[in-house]
Amino acid sequence: MRNETVDPYLLTPGPITTSLTTKQAMLHDWGSWDADFNAMTGELCRRLLALANAEDSHVCVPVQGSGSFAVEATLGTLVPRDGKVLVLMNGAYGQRIGKSLSYMGRGYVAIDKGDYAPPSPEEVAEALAADSAISHVALVFCETSSGILNPVAEIAEVVKAAGRSLIIDAMSAFGALPVDAGELEFDALISAANKCIEGVPGFGYALIRRPILEGAEGNAHSLCLDLYDQWRYMERTGQWRFTPPTHVVAAFLQALREHEAEGGVAGRLARYTRNRDRTVAGLRDLGFRTLLEDRWFSPVITTFLSPTHANFDFRSFYDRLKAKGYIIYPGKLTQAESFRIGHIGQLHDVQIDGLLAAVTETLDELQVDLHL
Ligand SMILES: *Cc1c(COP(=O)(O)O)cnc(C)c1O
């Protein structure tokens, strides 16, 4: 069974396979200034805040672009030009935060754990105690490059105890992993339309603690990425500054309703976890090995080590899986050869069964027997 179209399934961390109804929600045109569209933006923001139990403490600011635009906009808006960020890195997305800060001329120091080791709360506490100039800490919730779930709650406590401001890149986590603003102390949490909420790509958003955003006027170095200005304008007019991705917003609202119908965060977490468990068990049966130990697994994406078998070649493995209707994802590690399989998007038992059958067939075609 295909996803009600002829497209291959995307076993990737976004863009992901969306439902037919989410795609169909885009079959209309909206005026960016029109009350109907403004109501859609309002509903979207209310729903996102409710998902994080953050209606009373935070505001939601969407911004045009991919997820990285939202990360860069949040950093540039909240970190003053003389601020300094402690960036916790264990993969490509933590490194991108550092790169964004360099471009924007904001100071930062990093704790870089390499390809996947998680930052420990103790070393974060030490780094904060040692440098009083650090104003903010930036952390990636699920580091999508390896698939590791970082110890967000423990680090948030340390950051709070040290009186610093926490910015979380929750891009591939929000909507599938529980976030409760009453328990997790964050000043900003960032995600995008095309990850666990299962919308189409085109905008990102940040949930920002209200008084923090109120105090952020004039920080931004970029007009388009000034979330303070975007928020003020939206508050005043109900509209986005500059052309909004109208169709993407419509699809996202539909995706949010489907998220709710599936049982919200708990429902989605259960399905993604099941997808992961079945995929990992199936591939291990075939002789594949995971990069991480099970206790660091996220329900978002899993990294598998490329087999060293002489006949295994990632490119032909990929092409043959694609021909069978399944698109997997290359690895993003600097050390080991690897590939990744995503568990998010409109993937259910049938698709996981289909994927495992396709992998089995492909190994046969390549004459790769990993048990020998
Ligand atoms: C997807 C993702 C991003 C954003 O990537 P874009 O390609 O800009 O959408 C940022 N951080 C994490 C952890 C991600 O998974």
Side-chain angles (χ1 to χ4, degrees):
M1 190 182 89
R2 293 286 180 91
N3 46 336
E4 299 153 302
T5 69
V6 294
D7 304 329
Y9 289 103
L10 300 174
L11 292 123
T12 65
I16 38 84
T17 295
T18 55
S19 70
L20 182 61
T21 34
T22 291
K23 287 187 267 282
Q24 284 170 337
M26 293 186 283
L27 297 176
H28 303 276
D29 301 309
W30 290 268
S32 59
W33 34 261
D34 186 72
D36 289 345
F37 182 71
N38 296 344
M40 287 158 66
T41 302
E43 182 182 347
L44 179 157
C45 286
R46 277 193 303 279
R47 280 179 176 269
L48 289 174
L49 288 167
L51 270 187
N53 186 28
E55 299 103 312
D56 299 331
S57 50
H58 294 66
V59 297
C60 169
V61 193
V63 64
Q64 297 92 330
S66 85
S68 302
F69 289 63
V71 173
E72 197 160 296
T74 305
L75 293 168
T77 302
L78 297 190
V79 179
R81 296 185 199 198
D82 60 354
K84 183 172 181 181
V85 185
L86 173 63
V87 185
L88 307 182
M89 300 178 180
N90 55 341
Y93 292 101
Q95 283 170 6
R96 190 176 299 171
I97 288 176
K99 201 168 177 184
S100 274
L101 290 167
S102 303
Y103 264 72
M104 295 186 289
R106 304 298 201 279
Y108 78 92
V109 284
I111 296 179
D112 189 347
K113 306 293 288 186
D115 267 350
Y116 51 85
S120 81
E122 294 75 28
E123 60 192 333
V124 175
E126 270 171 38
L128 294 179
D131 188 349
S132 61
I134 296 172
S135 52
H136 295 72
V137 175
L139 167 67
V140 181
F141 200 130
C142 170
E143 184 35 92
T144 324
S145 46
S146 65
I148 195 171
L149 206 51
N150 279 321
V152 172
E154 291 85 343
I155 288 170
E157 287 198 2
V158 165
V159 175
K160 184 190 175 192
R164 314 301 166 84
S165 182
L166 180 63
I167 298 175
I168 304 176
D169 171 355
M171 204 68 63
S172 64
F174 191 61
L177 288 155
V179 170
D180 184 335
E183 290 168 10
L184 184 69
E185 290 270 343
F186 61 86
D187 281 342
L189 181 131
I190 307 151
S191 191
N194 58 297
K195 301 258 175 164
C196 298
I197 307 287
E198 301 187 357
V200 304
F203 71 89
Y205 51 88
L207 308 182
I208 305 177
R209 194 178 295 282
R210 178 184 281 270
I212 296 288
L213 188 56
E214 283 169 348
E217 183 173 11
N219 282 345
H221 55 287
S222 155
L223 171 65
C224 292
L225 296 182
D226 185 353
L227 294 189
Y228 174 85
D229 201 45
Q230 177 92 324
W231 173 59
R232 281 291 190 219
Y233 187 83
M234 249 179 206
E235 289 263 291
R236 205 167 63 243
T237 64
Q239 297 170 23
W240 300 51
R241 288 176 318 161
F242 322 142
T243 301
T246 46
H247 299 72
V248 181
V249 167
F252 191 71
L253 255 192
Q254 175 62 26
L256 276 167
R257 295 186 185 118
E258 293 176 17
H259 180 270
E260 184 178 18
E262 190 175 2
V265 172
R268 197 134 290 183
L269 178 61
R271 177 163 59 84
Y272 290 173
T273 303
R274 183 175 164 81
N275 286 348
R276 180 208 54 210
D277 289 346
R278 298 188 72 237
T279 302
V280 169
L283 264 77
R284 278 181 175 161
D285 276 351
L286 290 168
F288 287 96
R289 288 167 47 223
T290 59
L291 170 75
L292 301 176
E293 289 171 40
D294 297 34
R295 70 191 169 110
W296 294 115
F297 280 179
S298 70
V300 175
I301 190 164
T302 301
T303 300
F304 294 89
L305 298 171
S306 284
T308 49
H309 193 290
N311 291 350
F312 186 88
D313 164 58
F314 178 74
R315 193 70 231 182
S316 39
F317 184 65
Y318 176 95
D319 288 342
R320 284 165 189 271
L321 285 178
K322 181 179 173 187
K324 296 173 178 59
Y326 301 90
I327 288 191
I328 63 168
Y329 214 55
K332 222 175 196 173
L333 303 179
T334 51
Q335 302 295 327
E337 283 294 320
S338 62
F339 64 89
R340 297 179 285 172
I341 296 192
H343 315 302
I344 68 178
Q346 276 300 293
L347 304 171
H348 303 262
D349 278 1
V350 231
Q351 285 77 38
I352 306 305
D353 290 341
L355 168 73
L356 294 173
V359 172
T360 307
E361 259 177 66
T362 300
L363 290 181
D364 275 352
E365 290 164 14
L366 296 174
Q367 296 187 305
V368 172
D369 183 345
L370 298 176
H371 295 297
L372 292 181

